[in-house]
Amino acid sequence: MKIIDMHCDTISRIYQERRQGKHALLRSNFFHLDLEKMKKTGYLLQNFAIFLDIKQTANPYEEAKKQIALFQEEIQNNQDMIAPALSYSDILENEKQGKMSALMTLEEGEICERSLEKLEEFYDLGARMMTFTWNYPNGLGFPGEPAAAHLSQSQGLTSLGMEFLERMEELGIIPDVSHLSDAGIRDVCRLARKPFCASHSNARALCQRGRNLPDSLIRSIAEHGGVIGANYYGPFLSQIPDVFGRYYGYVKDIALHIRHISDVGGINCIGLGSDFDGIDNHLELKNCSLMDLLEEELKKIGFHESEIDKIFYQNVLAFYQELL
């Protein structure tokens, strides 16, 4: 089994733990994801998000740079197991050397503080993917729920957001439309000259949340050559809580979202975007070492081995081959 996961918040979680004076490492921890569990399971590549909540951060740019320094430190300290991926050739070379790959992403476009120069600096620091928003409106555009649930999904990218899209494509930073409003995603579909992704989003037809994608946008992303990473978070999988009132992330529901996205957009548009360490622990996939449970569930609902390989890593790898 090989795995590429398009989104986790493990670096940001380690950062927050350390700010509270706690011991936290990437190599081994009690979180959803660490290098030892990844290696055991067969991970080829993990996207590590630099995430922050702009409502809790006075200086997003400086805070992001501190997290990037932590990311670089942890990768350097574990170079026997993992190496950065700045290009597709890096992924191949790392695998050849028996190492996993780490691709750094940015989650929350306000990290750039509305500056194209800062966007370029983050590219130079190794960022290769970025969301326009998180859960709040910012200088680049408008999100879906929850924080902007009162806003219309008809509010999309700002004019600056459109400038950022153009510069991201020029630099080689992959636009990520997860967290963006429907209108914002339509703006990206209209303006993008290259494929783009939704790194951790599910199907709205199965779960009516603003963070999930309607069928029309699944088709549009697929038609643009993009990929969608299935999210493991319970509230984005089902609208029906369990007997304890929890929205639980069941493997069967992840598989059903993968089936729906594949049916709507084609088998080549679907990948994995766990959101590990950015979501709660109400998960059947308690951590990244249990991916065989999803593999077995996909087999149960009719996916062939070759299709599971596409879902688990080949689709995203082909996407990176084109864009990195």
Side-chain angles (χ1 to χ4, degrees), residues 250-268:
Y250 289 105
V251 171
K252 64 178 178 61
D253 290 323
I254 300 171
L256 289 175
H257 278 265
I258 289 172
R259 167 56 75 192
H260 183 85
I261 293 169
S262 173
D263 287 347
V264 171
I267 188 63
N268 294 330

Side-chain angles (χ1 to χ4, degrees), residues 3 29 36 41 60 68 91 105 113 117 128 132 153 173 185 210 214 222 237 241 243 249 251 262 288 298 311:
I3 297 165
N29 58 52
E36 291 181 355
T41 312
I68 291 171
I91 301 170
T105 74
E113 297 183 341
E117 289 76 17
R128 291 297 181 269
F132 293 89
Q153 286 275 17
I173 296 177
I185 300 174
L237 292 168
V243 293
V251 171
S262 173
C288 69
L298 290 172
I311 295 161

